[in-house]
Amino acid sequence: MDLKERLSELKKDALAEITNVDDLKKINDIRVKLLGKKGPITEVLRGMRDVPADQRPRIGSFANTVRDELTRALAARKEKLEIIKTAKKLEKEKIDVTLPGVAVKVGQPHIIEQVIAQIEKLFLGMGYQIVDGPEIEEDHYNFEMMNLPKDHPARDMQDTFYITDQILMRTQTSPVQARTMEKHDFTKGPLKMISPGKVYRRDTDDATHSHQFHQVEGLVIDKHVTMADLKGTLQTLARTIFGEKREIRLRPSYFPFTEPSVEVDVSCFKCDGQGCAVCKQTGWIEVLGAGMVHPNVLKMAGIDADVYGGFAFGLGPDRFAMLKYGVDDIREFYLNDVRFLQQFSQKG
Ligand code: PHE
């Protein structure tokens, strides 16, 4: 076989190899193998020594053609493999924009927070300020300033978690009123406030008791505040929470910090006062406690009880939510089972 034939043979094998390669990384190896210094073409050309001088140009130029052809074939194959690679990648990364998306779970304020927010909005609109206070409180603010000296029997109404003799978990949000009254400058105007927040009592948890629950207390102090103001305010509150048609009634009661004190009932929103299971056939549901601020409370806060007076009320958002949404176990609010909480989505 002369050199030219060997070259032709070589070309045929090489082209077949190039066509068959399907790995981009191998293209370079093949180039080195075929066209490199130790490759077959170089090898063949080394045999030129034995070729008669007049035939050398012809074979030399044929060898160059073969080299060029293989170089082009390698480049073409490389390009092809690159296109395939890109196509595969695109195929793999393809996004079907018509597929339904994964729904993002959106949270919402806890139902108790929602009730508190509703109450806050109402009272802000009536010119009240919202005041926060510590949950770990001094006995002085929680009890003494509320006209409940040590050993007062009415302290039994609020079983207390004491931390020390003087420090406790607040049993009501009244201490926030005490702290605010003490600081208020009455030359600048009346005091109108609500204090929403968590409170704690040493109760055994059951369907209607929780050692932690919420209160929103309200306080108004000014000259000439009457019980009619209290009643009108609570009427508005009852209608905002329980519906436009609600009436309220006041029943005499006792709290150490108010005199007179009242228990407030709202006409049943389930049966419109006709009598049903929710109102235990009475047509009325007890919703909060209230009264005219006791002069002792004013005096202890440094307020002249002969000039100023006011009303106070205290309600439980937990109880409001239980009544309004028919929740029969207060513990549900604190278990944080998402299936329970989701029912009160604000979306509707
Ligand atoms: N703090 C009282 C309680 O927890 C509620 C209340 C406040 C009652 C204001 C009357 C007036 O019992």
Side-chain angles (χ1 to χ4, degrees), residues 36 40 81 109 167 229 234 275 288 340:
L81 290 178
I167 308 287
D229 298 317
L234 296 179
L288 54 92
F340 171 79

Side-chain angles (χ1 to χ4, degrees), residues 20-31:
N20 285 333
V21 67
D22 53 10
D23 185 349
L24 251 177
K25 280 181 238 141
K26 285 192 188 143
I27 290 275
N28 203 39
D29 298 346
I30 294 174
R31 190 203 344 273

Side-chain angles (χ1 to χ4, degrees), residues 158 171-174 201 215 217-218 255 257-258 289-291 312-314:
Q158 304 185 3
T171 57
Q172 47 187 355
T173 53
S174 310
R201 291 194 193 172
Q215 276 194 341
E217 292 198 21
F255 297 106
F257 25 81
T258 45
F313 60 87

